[in-house]
Amino acid sequence: MAHRNAHLNTIESSRRLFGLDPGAEIEVADGLLFGAGRSTHPVISNAAFRLDDGLDPDEFLTQARAWFADRGRGFAVWARAGAPEDVDLIDAAERAGLQNVYAMPEMVLEGRPPEDARPPTGVELRRVRSPDEAARYWQVAIESYADIGFPPEIFAFYENHEYLWADGAAAFLAHLDGRPAGISMTIVSHGVAGIFWVGCTAEARGRGLGRAMTAAALDAGFEMGAESASLQASPMGESIYRRMGFETIYDYRLYLCPAPG
């Protein structure tokens, strides 16, 4: 059940994150979720999730192709490698010629981390509660995620700032020596605190800020009623999360279906 809830949190959190973009289109029906942001990036901003593990994978892919084709988009199918529920979906995606373009470990933490991770010296950590703070938050995201290939224009579409502090969500912004330097966010659903957008600027790395930002999001998530936490780890963050007690339960694979034409 914990594995299933972590997956459901990923899907629900993705739905809410699509809501950051006021021009995004979201379809939730018949055991699936499709999301298309204003960005045409086929992996980061256009995604298909199977909510119902029993939904026929070929039918799911057929519906996804049609829905995104109507919008002239490529998209990524999210599938769990190592989870028996998605063996059929992975098989269907590969038979359909979709390419696995990205993979990331899904990691979970049962209960709070064993020790506090206080912000390093010179860091002021604040919970994001205003549009000005949100703008600084996304600027740090632009700098942080450029190293793993996120185009900066992705974040320009995130204009519904209130989603950063909506019910069940909390976002954090750290200033290092007076300059925005670190971010993190949690979204709570299905008893799980999903941890997202953990990052810091290049000049702030190696000082324990990533751990501190993760801990801030974890604390907020557990305070909002979560019983466990989950995240999708980047290569830069995986070792930090493992030291905090996170364990890998499966890998998400993103299968690319290119835009029609």
Side-chain angles (χ1 to χ4, degrees), residues 152-171:
E153 63 268 18
I154 297 294
F155 302 100
F157 295 114
Y158 293 163
E159 298 172 351
N160 283 340
H161 299 312
E162 65 272 13
Y163 277 71
L164 293 176
W165 56 82
D167 289 346

Side-chain angles (χ1 to χ4, degrees), residues 219-236:
D219 286 343
F222 287 119
E223 287 169 6
M224 288 188 284
E227 298 175 354
S228 62
S230 74
L231 53 79
Q232 296 84 52
S234 70
M236 289 189 295

Side-chain angles (χ1 to χ4, degrees), residues 30-139:
D30 301 325
L32 53 80
L33 183 149
F34 301 149
R38 281 182 291 174
S39 167
T40 59
H41 195 290
V43 178
I44 300 171
S45 300
N46 294 272
F49 297 91
R50 187 172 65 162
L51 268 166
D52 179 357
D53 293 335
L55 180 63
D56 180 81
D58 295 307
E59 175 61 23
F60 168 72
L61 293 178
T62 297
Q63 291 186 56
R65 285 181 186 273
W67 194 85
F68 285 96
D70 285 346
R71 291 152 181 82
R73 300 292 184 84
F75 64 95
V77 173
W78 285 56
R80 294 161 288 175
E85 298 87 350
D86 274 0
V87 169
D88 62 340
L89 179 57
I90 290 173
D91 178 64
E94 293 180 348
R95 282 191 287 104
L98 274 59
Q99 182 182 2
N100 176 205
V101 293
Y102 194 71
M104 51 194 165
E106 170 71 2
M107 305 183 77
V108 298
L109 176 69
E110 300 294 341
R112 292 176 181 263
E115 59 184 62
D116 290 335
R118 301 184 182 281
T121 302
V123 169
E124 180 187 5
L125 195 153
R126 303 174 186 170
R127 190 161 173 169
V128 175
R129 300 183 186 275
S130 73
D132 286 345
E133 290 172 330
R136 292 193 289 273
Y137 182 99
W138 294 120
Q139 184 57 47

Side-chain angles (χ1 to χ4, degrees), residues 14-29:
S14 296
R15 183 188 68 80
R16 297 194 204 180
L17 291 169
F18 272 114
L20 288 161
D21 177 354
E25 295 184 68
I26 304 168
E27 174 88 10
V28 184

